[in-house]
Amino acid sequence: DGGITQSPKYLFRKEGQNVTLSCEQNLNHDAMYWYRQDPGQGLRLIYYSQIVNDFQKGDIAEGYSVSREKKESFPLTVTSAQKNPTAFYLCASSWRLAGVSTDTQYFGPGTRLTVL
Amino acid sequence: RKEVEQDPGPFNVPEGATVAFNCTYSNSASQSFFWYRQDCRKEPKLLMSVYSSGNEDGRFTAQLNRASQYISLLIRDSKLSDSATYLCVVADTGGFKTIFGAGTRLFVKA
């Protein structure tokens, strides 16, 4: 089955630790995205990537890093520099960059990160 | 002013009711519009794209008014299973910028 997978589903981290969230898609999509969602708020864009080995900062990139070494993978690292990392993290992908076409974004099931 | 604003909700309606969601956006250059549905503690899923001519999918109707920078979603004959948060999404053309509204929570009760 085609789709987007994220792991782990739940993640607990101690303050000062870096953690990496996995995102894999087998939809052959070019573009991938990372969002953060806090209770009662909309999704906020952290990073996005249009093609392999290229990525751009979104609205709230500080304290996060990404890589795009393979088309199907777009891992997100939450570093100790992120001051308030507890949130629901969502990965998405699309055929092309949303806004350039009407192609829609498809989301993975998300990872809930809690900093203890 | 937020780039995408939705009714704060929540909406509490009985089964069978018609419910309307409203959304306004601030960037007149926006080109793509969507409604997503998000169930509690789940990922958003595409409900409908929104076209200038308006579009309908069963009990769901979406409208776009570019002049007023306004998008709407109408759900007719509400079902219990329609209970969810509905997200308005606006994307710009040219560079990349997709903005998600904060969502409006809907509770449909028997």
Side-chain angles (χ1 to χ4, degrees):
Chain A
D1 288 338
I4 304 174
T5 58
Q6 291 186 242
S7 62
K9 187 173 182 178
Y10 298 95
L11 185 59
F12 297 90
R13 184 194 99 174
K14 293 182 180 179
E15 281 192 35
Q17 288 182 334
N18 292 355
V19 289
T20 298
L21 282 56
S22 169
C23 178
E24 305 278 333
Q25 55 97 2
N26 61 4
L27 300 168
N28 200 32
H29 285 170
D30 296 305
M32 297 187 74
Y33 317 78
W34 273 106
Y35 293 92
R36 167 184 174 140
Q37 187 175 35
D38 294 282
Q41 297 190 34
L43 280 66
R44 291 184 291 167
L45 182 66
I46 304 172
Y47 268 98
Y48 65 97
S49 169
Q50 301 180 59
I51 56 173
V52 174
N53 293 322
D54 180 73
F55 48 83
Q56 306 295 329
K57 292 183 179 180
D59 298 321
I60 55 165
E62 185 175 352
Y64 300 97
S65 66
V66 293
S67 63
R68 187 85 186 276
E69 297 177 0
K70 298 185 295 183
K71 185 176 184 178
E72 58 269 24
S73 179
F74 192 39
L76 173 74
T77 297
V78 183
T79 75
S80 57
Q82 168 52 232
K83 299 304 180 187
N84 186 21
T86 294
F88 186 37
Y89 289 87
L90 289 157
C91 179
S93 69
S94 68
W95 284 110
R96 287 175 288 181
L97 216 53
V100 179
S101 73
T102 58
D103 292 334
T104 57
Q105 296 183 30
Y106 297 89
F107 285 85
T111 293
R112 292 196 177 273
L113 173 63
T114 302
V115 175
L116 304 173
Chain B
R1 180 186 175 189
K2 291 182 180 178
E3 292 180 90
V4 176
E5 290 201 66
Q6 296 186 239
D7 295 325
F11 292 171
N12 291 282
V13 303
E15 273 189 293
T18 296
V19 59
F21 299 90
N22 301 310
C23 173
T24 58
Y25 60 96
S26 61
N27 188 343
S28 59
S30 299
Q31 290 295 321
S32 300
F33 309 91
F34 310 91
W35 283 101
Y36 277 73
R37 169 193 170 126
Q38 186 174 24
D39 292 295
C40 188
R41 302 180 71 81
K42 299 288 188 180
E43 74 273 24
K45 293 184 178 179
L46 178 69
L47 181 65
M48 302 177 72
S49 298
V50 187
Y51 305 116
S52 296
S53 55
N55 46 304
E56 185 174 312
D57 183 4
R59 297 182 294 109
F60 300 84
T61 300
Q63 296 280 351
L64 168 64
N65 184 323
R66 287 186 182 272
S68 301
Q69 295 178 203
Y70 170 85
I71 308 159
S72 66
L73 174 69
L74 189 73
I75 304 177
R76 293 181 298 279
D77 190 22
S78 299
K79 311 293 185 189
L80 294 176
S81 58
D82 293 333
S83 296
T85 297
Y86 291 83
L87 305 173
C88 174
V89 182
V90 176
D92 293 350
T93 193
F96 169 80
K97 195 168 181 65
T98 298
I99 307 296
F100 286 76
T104 302
R105 188 78 169 91
L106 172 65
F107 295 96
V108 181
K109 300 184 177 180

